[in-house]
């Protein structure tokens, strides 16, 4: 293949190659070229310079060759050919003509073919190729003249021949046009004597035709059923010149024969084709009426002539009956094909066979009933109508199947994680065994990492820990974000995990939460979908079997490292009298009411810190700090301290042994007792921890549960629909009601592996409020996930107010309610302020997702600070 450089250089040498064109370049220009391409060499001999220039172009690397092309391009000169006219078209053709010894006629034809070509495009090979066709055509013309034949486009020779007829003592000859067999394409290129070949072929064809006529005449007997002696003679003499299998019979004579023999009046003859029509009736499946159609029989006149010449039967009833049978069989076969393909397409829908037939008939009968034919076009047209009619329904079902299949293999929903070669590591041990500390140390050493916390408070603590270790880190929780452009690490609540951000290490804390009925889905999603090279999970020993099962489902490597508790945990010998409580004690109750009642009781003897679930994270953190710094001597708390608060507790005392779990009041589980008790005896602060109770009944329950084997985390794991699932289901079902979509997910979604759909009761309850408003599904989903206390009329009212503003696309401001006092000793007043803080959390959570609408984020944060201090002061002063 010619190189790009060779093509370009020809432009500057009038189309000649470099080796030819370079001869026209002067010695001075050649030396300039050498210097331009980096060769500081001057050659005084023109012959040597030319040789050196040719060698340069043929031997040097392509870069130098491109430099030579650039040199001539910059000169902007065309070195025209200075050769004489022997390169002109006429002289070049004359040269080739002499070489090939062409005749004058051949020369003329060759000249006409090449006169508009450029000399460089005229080659000996091209002329020889054209000459083959010219000479072959000349031989054809010569043979046609010599053999009195005509070579037709089908590569047969046509010729006239005299055929002898001898019948009933009458002899005559008749000219017919006969054809030879087909000759191969290169027949006229042969060197053989073609005239002899063709004459032999002609004689053989004439002989065969004569024998055919003789045999035909011998079969004609008198009397003929349809023809007289005179009819036969006239028909033979008047038959067309072109040879036929059966001699032609005149149209008038044919019509008379048909009329005389009672053939159907619907019989017609046109040229070489006969038409016979018959009215027929057919009954179709699922239809009571019979339909009329026309049976149209077409056949060649030779078939009719053969019957007339040899006195055959002209009654076509049997033929038509057989034709009718075959036509109806073919029709029902084609109808069934159309029905079957329609059925196949509609197989995913609940459509009866009768409905399918009815639909096919509607789109078919007006076209087929004329001649009972289902052509390919009719078949395709019907299927197109069926597809158009049910396309949306079929596609909906198909998408449902794809969706169900996709969700069924739950792990495949997390594409980024599935692309990675991940390692799972499980750190298990009792509370205060150092497992989370070791996980965080490994996270700090990683180039990039994620910490996933069960609580906002824990996420904030880890954020500050990483920051104190000089690690660039961002904080992301449901209602706030501290974004660092240079961050290599992220501390986040587990629900806020970004499944598209891949990191080296991801720490998932409190992994036993995977068994939680309400939030366990977040841990399952995180373990399955965290895009990290290593996933480090920390949790209690009862999570071991569950994580093993999950790793087997994922087909990923799992390493388990067990940690022992740093300090011993001891059960007190008996219950503790309230008057004997020591400092560094935490009293555990299980309702806000109990906590505040105990605070009132023990604040008479000690400075008290209070922690319960309804408090904001900021207040919890401040109360914990007061206890940690010694400003308070005892802590009264719910089981919210079991997770996320690092406190200098020496002794845990249970006030109660039962709790309300949202459904019923029940006795504490062994796992709950162990988890709460594990907070006693903080390593580095106390050598050992103690556990007891404030009355004997509770003490006996705690004693029994503390040393009971903890039930393993239950399998299957709960998983929850995410936003993408919800939007996809809505699109498939053409459903805008979030409540309907959520119920569909809960009812119909089944999974491979150890999973079941989580209860979406709270989301469904929220969706009943949301569906009253005109919002898109994306917004509805976010609103349904908001942190709501649906049993608080105050929160629900604020929630509805925000939804209305979002629907109207109005800015949503925040105005803090008025508080007249600095502190309160009223439980109802305190509960009301706590709801105010929850409302701010809701405002901030929604503002994080709809930042354009919630315009007072900073004002809300400031208001939360004021309310938190009000709660803190109220707890301190009471």
């Amino acid at each position: 293949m010619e190189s790009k450089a060779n093509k370009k250089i020809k432009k500057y040498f009038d189309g000649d190659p470099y080796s030819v064109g370079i001869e026209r370049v002067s010695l001075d220009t050649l030396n300039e070229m050498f210097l331009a391409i980096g060769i500081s060499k001057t050659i005084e001999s023109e012959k040597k310079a030319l040789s050196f220039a040719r060698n340069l172009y043929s031997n040097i690397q392509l870069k130098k060759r491109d430099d030579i092309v650039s040199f001539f391009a910059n000169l902007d000169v065309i070195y025209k050919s200075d050769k004489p006219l022997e390169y002109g078209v006429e002289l070049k053709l004359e040269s080739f003509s002499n070489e090939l010894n062409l005749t004058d006629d051949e020369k003329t034809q060759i000249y006409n073919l090449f006169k508009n070509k450029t000399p460089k495009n005229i080659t000996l090979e091209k002329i020889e190729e054209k000459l083959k066709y010219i000479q072959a055509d000349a031989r054809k013309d010569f043979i046609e003249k010599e053999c009195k034949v005509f070579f037709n486009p089908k590569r047969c020779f046509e010729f006239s021949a005299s055929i002898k007829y001898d019948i009933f003592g009458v002899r005559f000859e008749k000219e017919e046009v006969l054809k030879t067999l087909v000759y191969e394409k290169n027949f006229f290129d042969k060197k053989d004597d073609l005239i002899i070949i063709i004459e032999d072929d002609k004689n053989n064809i004439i002989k065969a035709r004569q024998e055919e006529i003789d045999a035909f005449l011998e079969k004609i007997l008198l009397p003929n059923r349809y023809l007289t002696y005179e009819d036969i003679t006239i028909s033979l003499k008047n038959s067309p010149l072109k040879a036929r299998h059966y001699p032609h019979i005149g149209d008038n004579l044919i019509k008379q024969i048909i009329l005389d023999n009672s053939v159907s009046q619907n019989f017609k003859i046109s040229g070489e084709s006969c038409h016979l029509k018959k009215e027929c009736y057919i009954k179709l499946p699922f239809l009571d009426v019979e339909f009329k159609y026309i049976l149209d029989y077409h056949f060649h006149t030779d078939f009719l002539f053969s019957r007339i010449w040899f006195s055959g039967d002209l009654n076509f009833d049997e033929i038509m009956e057989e034709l009718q049978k075959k036509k109806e069989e073919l029709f029902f076969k084609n109808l069934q094909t159309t029905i079957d393909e329609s059925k196949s397409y509609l197989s995913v829908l609940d459509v009866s066979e009768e409905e399918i037939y009815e639909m096919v008939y509607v789109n078919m009968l007006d076209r087929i009933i004329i001649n009972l034919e289902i052509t390919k076009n009719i078949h395709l047209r019907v299927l197109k109508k069926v597809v158009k009619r049910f396309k949306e329904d079929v596609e909906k079902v198909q998408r449902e199947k794809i969706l169900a299949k996709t969700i069924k293999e739950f792990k495949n929903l997390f594409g980024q994680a599935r692309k990675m070669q991940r390692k799972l590591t499980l750190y298990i041990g009792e509370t205060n065994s150092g497992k989370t500390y070791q996980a965080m140390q490994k996270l700090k050493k990683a180039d990039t990492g994620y910490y996933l916390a069960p609580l906002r408070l824990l996420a904030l603590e880890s954020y500050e820990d990483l920051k104190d270790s000089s690690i660039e880190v961002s904080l992301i929780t449901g209602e706030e974000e501290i974004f660092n452009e240079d961050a290599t690490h992220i501390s986040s609540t587990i629900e806020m995990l970004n499944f598209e951000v891949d990191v080296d290490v991801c720490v998932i804390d409190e992994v036993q939460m995977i068994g939680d009925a309400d939030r366990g889905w977040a841990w399952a999603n995180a373990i399955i979908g965290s895009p990290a090279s290593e996933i480090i999970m920390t949790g209690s020993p009862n999570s071991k079997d569950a994580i093993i099962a999950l790793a087997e489902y994922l087909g990923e490597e799992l390493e388990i490292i067990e940690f022992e508790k740093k300090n011993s945990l001891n059960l007190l010998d008996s219950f503790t009298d309230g008057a004997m409580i020591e400092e560094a004690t935490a009293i555990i109750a299980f309702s806000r009411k109990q906590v505040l009642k105990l605070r009132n009781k023990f604040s008479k003897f000690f400075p008290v810190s209070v922690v319960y679930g309804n408090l904001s994270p900021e207040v919890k953190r401040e109360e914990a700090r007061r206890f940690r710094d010694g400003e308070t001597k005892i802590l009264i708390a719910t089981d919210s301290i079991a997770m996320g608060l690092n406190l200098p507790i020496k002794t845990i005392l249970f006030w109660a042994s039962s709790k309300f779990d949202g459904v019923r009041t029940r006795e504490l589980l062994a796992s709950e007792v162990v988890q709460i008790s594990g907070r006693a005896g903080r390593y580095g602060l106390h050598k050992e921890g103690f556990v007891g109770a404030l009355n004997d009944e509770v003490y006996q329950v705690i004693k029994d549960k503390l040393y009971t084997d903890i039930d393993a985390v239950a399998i299957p794991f709960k998983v929850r629909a995410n936003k993408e699932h919800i939007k996809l289901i809505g699109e498939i079902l053409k459903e805008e009601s979030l409540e309907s979509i959520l119920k569909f997910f809960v009812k119909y979604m089944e999974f491979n592996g150890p999973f079941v759909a989580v209860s979406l009761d709270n989301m469904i309850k929220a969706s009943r409020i949301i569906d009253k408003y005109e919002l898109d599904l994306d917004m509805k989903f976010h609103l349904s996930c908001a942190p709501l206390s649906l049993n608080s009329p105050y929160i629900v009212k604020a929630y509805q107010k925000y939804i209305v503003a979002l629907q109207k696309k109005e800015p949503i401001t925040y105005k803090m309610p008025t508080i007249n006092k600095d502190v309160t000793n009223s439980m109802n007043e305190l509960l009301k302020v706590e709801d105010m803080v929850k409302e701010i959390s809701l405002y901030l959570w929604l503002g994080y997702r709809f930042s354009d609408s919630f315009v007072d984020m900073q004002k809300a944060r400031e208001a939360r600070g004021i309310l938190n201090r009000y709660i803190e002061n109220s707890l301190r002063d009471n």
Side-chain angles (χ1 to χ4, degrees):
M1 184 180 290
E2 189 174 25
S3 71
K4 290 183 179 179
N6 287 343
K7 288 181 179 178
K8 289 179 180 178
I9 202 72
K10 285 182 178 181
K11 182 166 64 173
Y12 308 110
F13 295 135
D14 199 20
D16 286 330
Y18 174 84
S19 59
V20 174
I22 198 68
E23 295 175 4
R24 306 169 199 156
V25 180
S26 68
L27 178 61
D28 290 343
T29 303
L30 289 176
N31 281 315
E32 286 180 24
M33 181 185 78
F34 300 150
L35 186 62
I37 65 174
I39 299 173
S40 56
K41 180 178 181 179
T42 302
I43 302 175
E44 296 182 358
S45 168
E46 186 173 343
K47 184 176 181 181
K48 287 184 180 179
L50 187 60
S51 176
F52 184 64
R54 282 183 172 138
N55 289 335
L56 274 177
Y57 194 81
S58 60
N59 296 328
I60 62 176
Q61 56 183 305
L62 290 176
K63 177 66 172 65
K64 290 291 186 185
R65 186 173 294 174
D66 290 338
D67 290 342
I68 290 174
V69 174
S70 297
F71 172 77
F72 283 103
N74 291 330
L75 286 180
D76 196 23
V77 174
I78 304 295
Y79 289 90
K80 295 283 187 180
S81 172
D82 56 357
K83 295 192 178 294
L85 218 62
E86 64 257 29
Y87 277 85
V89 174
E90 296 87 350
L91 293 181
K92 197 167 187 180
L93 287 173
E94 183 67 29
S95 174
F96 288 143
S97 296
N98 293 334
E99 185 175 343
L100 295 170
N101 296 318
L102 301 182
T103 66
D104 290 341
D105 184 57
E106 288 172 343
K107 285 181 181 179
T108 300
Q109 291 189 62
I110 289 294
Y111 177 78
N112 289 333
L113 289 171
F114 286 93
K115 65 182 179 181
N116 295 323
K117 306 290 184 184
T118 58
K120 66 179 180 180
N121 287 331
I122 301 174
T123 64
L124 183 62
E125 291 78 11
K126 290 180 179 179
I127 290 176
E128 286 178 329
E129 183 66 25
K130 294 294 183 183
L131 186 60
K132 281 171 58 179
Y133 291 105
I134 291 170
Q135 291 175 341
D137 201 44
R139 295 185 76 188
K140 176 181 78 69
D141 293 342
F142 176 75
I143 289 169
E144 285 181 332
K145 184 176 180 181
E146 289 296 314
C147 297
K148 296 180 180 178
V149 294
F150 167 69
F151 193 69
N152 65 25
K154 295 184 178 179
R155 298 204 310 276
C156 298
F157 283 110
E158 294 184 10
F159 60 94
S160 296
S162 183
I163 305 300
K164 297 181 177 63
Y165 285 77
D166 186 352
I167 185 169
F168 311 134
V170 178
R171 294 180 177 86
F172 60 90
E173 293 186 7
K174 182 178 175 186
E175 288 291 319
E176 288 191 6
V177 177
L178 305 179
K179 295 179 187 177
T180 64
L181 298 176
V182 176
Y183 293 97
E184 62 269 28
K185 287 184 179 180
N186 60 348
F187 176 72
F188 294 107
D189 295 338
K190 289 185 176 182
K191 302 301 181 184
D192 304 332
D193 192 336
L194 300 183
I195 292 177
I196 294 175
I197 294 173
I198 294 167
E199 289 295 342
D200 287 344
D201 288 347
K202 283 174 61 179
N203 291 333
N204 291 332
I205 295 296
I206 293 169
K207 181 181 178 183
R209 177 59 176 166
Q210 185 65 63
E211 290 174 351
E212 182 183 8
I213 291 298
D214 291 343
F216 170 74
L217 294 177
E218 287 180 7
K219 291 181 182 179
I220 298 176
L221 301 175
L222 285 177
N224 185 284
R225 188 173 178 180
Y226 306 107
L227 300 172
T228 66
Y229 169 86
E230 185 180 2
D231 292 336
I232 293 172
T233 305
I234 292 173
S235 295
L236 290 173
K237 287 182 177 181
N238 292 339
S239 187
L241 293 178
K242 291 232 175 185
R244 304 170 58 101
H245 191 65
Y246 297 103
H248 184 74
I249 300 172
D251 290 349
N252 292 332
L253 182 55
I254 287 288
K255 291 177 182 177
Q256 189 59 48
I257 291 170
I258 290 172
L259 288 172
D260 291 345
N261 289 273
S262 302
V263 179
S264 170
Q265 294 298 314
N266 288 322
F267 185 91
K268 291 182 181 180
I269 186 167
S270 175
E272 295 184 351
S273 180
C274 297
H275 306 266
L276 187 60
K277 293 185 178 182
K278 176 185 176 183
E279 289 186 358
C280 302
Y281 293 87
I282 189 170
K283 195 171 186 308
L284 302 179
F286 297 105
L287 292 178
D288 295 332
V289 297
E290 286 190 333
F291 286 89
K292 181 178 76 173
Y293 70 93
I294 304 300
L295 183 64
D296 194 356
Y297 180 37
H298 294 253
F299 55 92
H300 198 278
T301 50
D302 272 349
F303 176 74
L304 178 64
F305 292 162
S306 68
R307 294 206 165 196
I308 294 174
W309 280 112
F310 303 125
S311 300
D313 190 2
L314 289 184
N315 186 345
F316 293 102
D317 288 345
E318 289 185 8
I319 292 176
M320 295 300 280
E321 286 176 7
E322 183 64 24
L323 180 64
Q324 181 180 0
K325 179 182 177 183
K326 290 181 178 179
K327 194 171 189 70
E328 291 184 1
E329 284 177 354
L330 179 61
F331 166 76
F332 282 116
K333 179 182 177 182
N334 291 338
L335 175 62
Q336 192 60 48
T337 299
T338 304
I339 294 295
D340 289 345
E341 290 193 29
S342 300
K343 277 184 183 178
S344 177
Y345 180 74
L346 300 174
S347 60
V348 297
L349 303 178
D350 185 19
V351 182
S352 69
E353 187 175 29
E354 183 175 357
E355 288 176 303
I356 294 173
Y357 269 98
E358 181 181 351
M359 184 168 30
V360 169
Y361 291 153
V362 166
N363 294 291
M364 180 185 286
L365 282 179
D366 61 331
R367 296 182 176 90
I368 66 170
I369 215 61
I370 297 173
N371 56 13
L372 205 69
E373 283 187 5
I374 302 177
T375 64
K376 184 177 180 180
N377 284 339
I378 291 174
H379 170 78
L380 294 175
R381 192 179 294 115
V382 170
L383 290 180
K384 187 177 179 181
K385 292 281 188 180
V386 171
V387 170
K388 184 178 180 181
R389 164 68 177 81
F390 288 98
K391 184 179 180 182
E392 289 188 4
D393 296 329
V394 170
E395 288 181 351
K396 176 181 176 181
V397 174
Q398 289 172 340
R399 289 196 301 268
E400 283 180 351
K401 287 186 175 181
I402 293 171
L403 172 65
K405 185 177 180 181
T406 302
I407 296 178
K408 196 170 187 178
E409 199 57 76
F410 193 71
K411 63 184 177 184
N412 291 339
L413 295 175
F414 305 93
Q416 185 67 25
R418 298 291 75 76
K419 294 175 186 176
M420 302 178 71
Q421 188 69 35
R422 305 191 315 164
K423 177 189 175 185
L424 305 179
T425 304
L426 176 61
Y427 288 0
I428 54 172
E430 302 292 344
T431 304
N432 202 21
S433 59
K435 57 186 182 296
T436 302
Y437 172 81
Q438 291 299 329
M440 291 300 293
Q441 294 305 111
K442 197 161 186 179
L443 178 63
K444 290 175 183 179
K445 292 177 182 177
D447 291 336
T448 57
Y450 230 126
Y451 171 75
L452 302 178
L455 302 172
R456 174 171 166 262
L457 189 58
L458 262 183
L460 181 59
E461 284 188 358
S462 296
Y463 165 77
E464 291 177 344
D465 181 22
L466 290 167
K467 196 172 178 182
D468 290 344
S469 300
S470 301
I471 293 173
E472 300 290 348
V473 59
S474 291
L475 173 70
I476 300 175
T477 68
E479 59 186 70
E480 66 183 325
E481 176 181 302
I482 302 175
F483 181 69
N484 179 353
E485 289 186 357
D486 300 321
T488 58
H489 290 61
I490 297 172
S491 182
S492 165
T493 45
I494 194 162
E495 286 88 350
M496 300 303 293
L497 168 62
N498 187 333
F499 293 98
E500 301 301 320
V501 178
D502 57 294
V503 294
D504 296 316
V505 173
C506 177
V507 173
I508 302 175
D509 207 359
E510 304 291 356
V511 74
Q512 72 277 359
M513 285 289 290
I514 195 172
D516 185 80
D518 296 321
R519 296 181 66 206
W521 62 269
W523 275 262
N525 283 11
I527 296 168
I528 296 168
S530 292
S533 299
E534 183 175 11
I535 312 295
I536 301 176
M537 299 161 279
T538 69
S540 57
N542 68 324
S543 64
K544 181 177 179 180
D545 291 342
I547 301 304
I548 290 173
L550 196 50
E552 288 176 353
Y553 164 72
L554 294 171
E556 294 180 327
E557 175 190 357
L558 173 64
E559 180 183 6
I560 300 175
I561 301 174
E562 300 189 14
F563 289 76
E564 294 184 2
K565 189 173 176 64
K566 300 291 185 180
N567 289 349
S568 61
L569 181 64
N570 305 304
L571 179 68
L572 296 172
D573 294 336
S574 62
F575 74 90
T576 301
D577 185 277
M580 304 298 293
I581 291 176
E582 299 178 352
E583 295 181 4
T585 294
I587 299 173
I588 307 302
F590 294 98
S591 72
R592 174 180 175 276
K593 184 176 181 180
Q594 287 180 356
V595 167
L596 295 177
K597 182 179 178 180
L598 290 168
R599 180 205 64 181
N600 292 338
K601 177 178 179 179
F602 287 103
S603 61
K604 298 173 182 177
F605 310 104
F606 299 97
V608 175
S609 282
V610 173
V611 174
Y612 53 89
N614 213 35
L615 293 178
S616 70
E618 291 82 5
V619 174
K620 288 180 185 175
R621 193 174 184 207
E622 174 59 19
E623 289 295 289
R625 183 203 63 75
R626 293 174 61 218
F627 181 67
R628 190 182 302 113
D629 293 347
E631 293 179 15
T632 57
K633 301 304 180 182
I634 67 169
L635 172 68
I636 301 174
T638 60
D639 51 352
S640 60
I641 68 159
M643 190 183 302
L645 291 173
N646 297 316
L647 300 167
I649 301 171
K650 180 179 180 181
T651 304
I652 293 282
L653 297 177
F654 286 83
W655 168 258
S657 58
S658 61
K659 63 179 287 187
F660 180 72
D661 62 6
V663 179
R664 60 189 175 86
T665 300
R666 58 166 175 80
E667 194 172 79
L668 294 176
L669 303 175
S671 59
E672 294 169 330
V673 172
V674 171
Q675 181 77 15
I676 297 168
S677 300
R679 293 292 164 184
R682 183 67 185 168
Y683 178 67
L685 297 175
H686 304 287
K687 293 182 179 180
E688 55 186 341
F690 298 93
V691 180
L694 287 170
N695 64 68
D696 189 56
E697 183 181 352
V698 174
Y699 176 82
Q700 295 303 324
V701 173
I702 300 306
K703 179 180 178 180
D704 180 53
K705 301 285 186 180
L706 188 63
Y707 298 114
T708 300
D709 289 337
I710 300 174
D711 292 337
V713 171
I715 301 175
F717 309 112
K718 303 290 179 60
V719 291
R720 195 188 82 175
N722 60 30
K723 183 178 71 175
E724 284 67 32
H725 299 159
I726 294 301
K727 290 172 70 175
L728 186 57
I729 293 171
E731 180 183 347
I732 290 169
L733 299 180
K734 298 190 181 305
E735 180 61 70
E736 296 180 358
S737 166
L738 181 61
E739 181 182 1
S740 298
I741 295 170
L742 293 173
K743 286 181 176 178
F744 173 85
F745 184 87
V746 172
K747 183 176 181 180
Y748 293 107
M749 291 301 100
E750 296 179 357
F751 307 96
N752 291 333
F755 307 108
V756 293
V758 72
S759 169
L760 298 178
D761 288 350
N762 287 338
M763 289 182 70
I764 290 172
K765 289 176 183 176
S767 69
R768 288 175 189 148
I769 299 173
I770 300 164
D771 278 338
K772 296 175 183 177
Y773 302 93
E774 293 182 5
L775 304 168
D776 62 57
L777 203 52
D778 191 279
M779 186 176 288
K780 284 184 177 183
F781 176 79
H782 282 304
L783 287 167
S784 71
C785 296
L788 279 178
S789 298
L790 289 171
N791 57 351
S792 166
Y794 181 86
I795 299 297
V796 171
K797 184 178 179 181
Y799 183 58
Q800 290 174 317
K801 180 180 71 174
Y802 297 155
I803 295 174
V804 169
L806 284 171
Q807 178 183 259
K808 294 180 178 179
K809 297 181 180 180
E810 296 176 347
I812 303 171
T813 58
Y814 177 78
K815 182 179 180 181
M816 179 177 157
T818 303
I819 299 177
N820 297 321
K821 305 176 184 177
D822 293 331
V823 295
T824 182
N825 56 6
S826 165
M827 292 180 63
N828 288 334
E829 183 68 22
L830 194 58
L831 181 60
K832 182 178 178 181
V833 176
E834 289 167 1
D835 275 352
M836 293 177 189
V837 175
K838 286 183 180 180
E839 182 198 0
I840 294 173
S841 294
L842 175 62
Y843 185 94
L844 294 173
W845 193 94
L846 292 172
Y848 179 67
R849 286 151 184 81
F850 308 110
S851 55
D852 291 342
S853 298
F854 289 78
V855 296
D856 283 342
M857 299 286 280
Q858 185 57 38
K859 187 176 179 181
R861 291 189 184 97
E862 292 170 358
R864 182 167 63 181
I866 295 171
L867 294 174
N868 283 337
R869 286 190 293 274
Y870 177 84
I871 294 171
E872 290 163 11
N873 293 333
S874 297
L875 294 175
R876 290 177 191 175
D877 293 347
N878 292 282

